[in-house]
Amino acid sequence: MIYLDNCATTKPYKEVLNAFVEVNNLYFGNPASINKFGKTTNKLLSAARAQVASILGVDEGSVFFTSCATESNNIALLGSVEHKKDFGNRIIVSKIEHPSVLESFRELERRGFILDYVNVDEYGLIDLEHLKTLLTKETILLSVMQVNNIFGAIQPIDKISEILKDYPKVHFHVDGVQGILKDDINLSKVDSYSISAHKFHGLKGIGVLYLKSRRTVHNVIFGGGQEDGLRSGTVNVAAAVSLAKALRLSQEKINNAKKNHHEYKKLIVDEFSKYKHIVINSPLRDDFVDSIINISLPKIKGEAIVNALNEREVMVSTTSACSSKTFHLNEALFARGLSKENIEGSIRVSFSYETTKKDVETFVEVFIDEYNKKFKEVIESGI
Ligand code: PLP
């Protein structure tokens, strides 16, 4: 079985699973309790927070545990607007964001804010000139992802933060789910940043929200006041410890993984370029990560390709796991101006820290075989 759907989720490291079980077994106290068990658990939570903070290069007090990146994004976006609403009513989002960001903006629009979408170019990179035309003195929020989850473009976060120097009222949120470790980011240049453990061999159900300044985000969840009141609810300490562990292990592996991913992507691009009907939507460029490759067979449905590969024990995905059950054209690919046929015929291949060259070679072999047997004739017959 070859698993190349690591943007959707990754297999937890053994050490991560062990840490989760051990903490649940031995340190199950409530970190908010003042008894001995509680205090020990709370120490573990602080250690996990400190470890995450040190890897992110930020203060411990700016790291908040949440249940997932969807929650982190919602808290950052809805909470920052709640804080800034007296200063303006305009909000800006890029057209290629994950639904957890786009739908938060659409909710804000329903609540009366004026929503502007910033364009991307043919590669899916933010159009900085368009952004400049959208920014006004009334703008209070901008969200741009670090790395796109559908095709892997790396956004110019530094350049955007430079532009925002003229607009100090704007809260700048970055969704770092697919970018963490894979692309360097200086978090002092953004106001908030979200990550999710299950994308780097941690567990599902635990994420982090980094906030440069806690007081710039109002609470949107109410309760017992955990996580400095930002995310009430008993903290899942075992999951937080395992997130810190997964992040540290991934950090140790990242340089090697980056080298491997470059080699793997080049292999795929070189091989597939020999076939005139195969379209690569993730070019080999410095402003694309090497771990995500979007590929199309125009005139063929992405589902048909995924199913054909599935039968051969190779797992990839249609545009994204979150939207693969809906029949709409993928918004991120659409924003790049790709044709309907290209979008409908697209699949995504994504590597993890543990993907091997053999996995990639087998994928290439199986894909080409299925292309020759099932798809080439259909494409050429023009039906
Ligand atoms: N943001 C991006 C870019 C993603 O790819 C995903 C998940 O696919 C999320 C946010 C949501 O993450 P979570 O599953 O932790 O809610």
Side-chain angles (χ1 to χ4, degrees), residues 78 150 160 173 184 231 249 304 314 332 348 355:
L78 303 181
I150 309 293
I160 296 171
H173 177 67
D184 292 334
R231 199 276 181 183
L249 291 172
V314 174
R348 180 186 64 187
T355 304

Side-chain angles (χ1 to χ4, degrees), residues 66-85:
T66 64
S67 72
C68 59
T70 296
E71 187 177 57
S72 299
N73 287 336
N74 273 256
I75 292 174
L77 300 170
L78 303 181
S80 61
V81 154
E82 196 52 37
H83 176 71
K84 302 223 161 172
K85 65 182 180 197

Side-chain angles (χ1 to χ4, degrees), residues 82-360:
E82 196 52 37
H83 176 71
K84 302 223 161 172
K85 65 182 180 197
D86 292 338
F87 300 104
N89 65 345
R90 300 194 78 102
I91 53 178
I92 305 177
V93 68
S94 93
K95 286 184 177 167
I96 58 161
E97 297 297 300
H98 184 268
S100 56
V101 169
L102 280 176
E103 293 307 322
S104 295
F105 272 83
R106 287 170 187 153
E107 171 58 21
L108 287 170
E109 188 178 33
R110 284 188 287 274
R111 293 182 191 181
F113 292 91
I114 299 169
L115 171 56
D116 289 312
Y117 290 93
V118 62
N119 293 336
V120 293
D121 67 12
E122 65 191 290
Y123 294 111
L125 296 164
I126 297 297
D127 178 342
L128 297 176
E129 292 310 312
H130 186 227
L131 175 63
K132 285 179 197 164
T133 67
L134 294 179
L135 283 161
T136 71
K137 297 293 169 209
E138 296 296 305
T139 309
I140 53 169
L141 177 65
L142 168 67
S143 197
V144 175
M145 71 206 317
Q146 186 182 7
V147 167
N148 176 267
N149 55 313
I150 309 293
F151 43 80
I154 303 172
Q155 298 302 339
I157 300 300
D158 279 0
K159 287 186 185 152
I160 296 171
S161 98
E162 274 305 303
I163 294 171
L164 289 180
K165 281 188 176 155
D166 291 336
Y167 299 91
K169 273 189 298 192
V170 176
H171 179 104
F172 183 26
H173 177 67
V174 174
D175 174 343
V177 171
Q178 302 292 351
I180 177 76
L181 299 177
K182 295 185 180 140
D183 163 56
D184 292 334
I185 186 163
N186 178 349
L187 290 184
S188 70
K189 299 193 171 176
V190 311
D191 293 302
S192 50
Y193 183 76
S194 51
I195 62 172
S196 179
H198 74 103
K199 309 290 185 172
F200 47 87
H201 300 279
L203 301 171
K204 292 162 193 68
I206 183 80
V208 158
L209 176 61
Y210 155 77
L211 286 185
K212 189 193 272 173
S213 165
R214 165 71 182 95
R215 62 180 175 76
T216 59
V217 173
H218 273 208
N219 297 349
V220 295
I221 294 171
F222 300 92
Q226 291 90 344
E227 296 298 281
D228 198 17
L230 185 73
R231 199 276 181 183
S232 281
T234 305
V235 182
N236 188 344
V237 179
V241 170
S242 67
L243 178 146
K245 181 146 237 150
L247 194 57
R248 186 175 61 71
L249 291 172
S250 295
Q251 190 192 33
E252 285 168 11
K253 294 170 194 261
I254 187 65
N255 287 336
N256 208 21
K258 270 186 173 171
K259 255 189 257 147
N260 289 341
H261 293 169
H262 186 69
E263 186 193 349
Y264 302 163
K265 182 172 180 184
K266 190 159 171 354
L267 195 156
I268 291 177
V269 172
D270 287 349
E271 281 306 309
F272 286 9
S273 305
K274 296 176 189 160
Y275 298 83
K276 70 172 179 191
H277 301 304
I278 305 180
V279 180
I280 304 278
N281 297 315
S282 306
L284 270 168
R285 286 169 50 117
D286 288 348
D287 44 15
F288 274 68
V289 289
D290 290 319
S291 51
I292 303 173
I293 311 179
N294 192 293
I295 300 161
S296 288
L297 289 181
K299 299 204 176 83
I300 304 294
K301 293 273 179 283
E303 287 98 302
I305 308 168
V306 171
N307 289 337
L309 297 177
N310 225 12
E311 278 172 27
R312 305 276 302 266
E313 310 278 290
V314 174
M315 282 176 278
V316 300
S317 77
T318 48
T319 47
S320 97
C322 306
S323 62
S324 60
K325 288 205 176 84
T326 62
F327 295 98
H328 300 119
L329 286 182
N330 180 274
E331 286 188 71
L333 292 171
F334 188 71
R336 282 177 63 180
L338 301 190
S339 70
K340 180 168 177 283
E341 278 183 345
N342 187 344
I343 299 172
E344 282 177 346
S346 77
I347 62 161
R348 180 186 64 187
V349 177
S350 45
F351 311 137
S352 81
Y353 291 82
E354 310 219 301
T355 304
T356 65
K357 188 168 179 193
K358 184 90 197 69
D359 292 338
V360 178

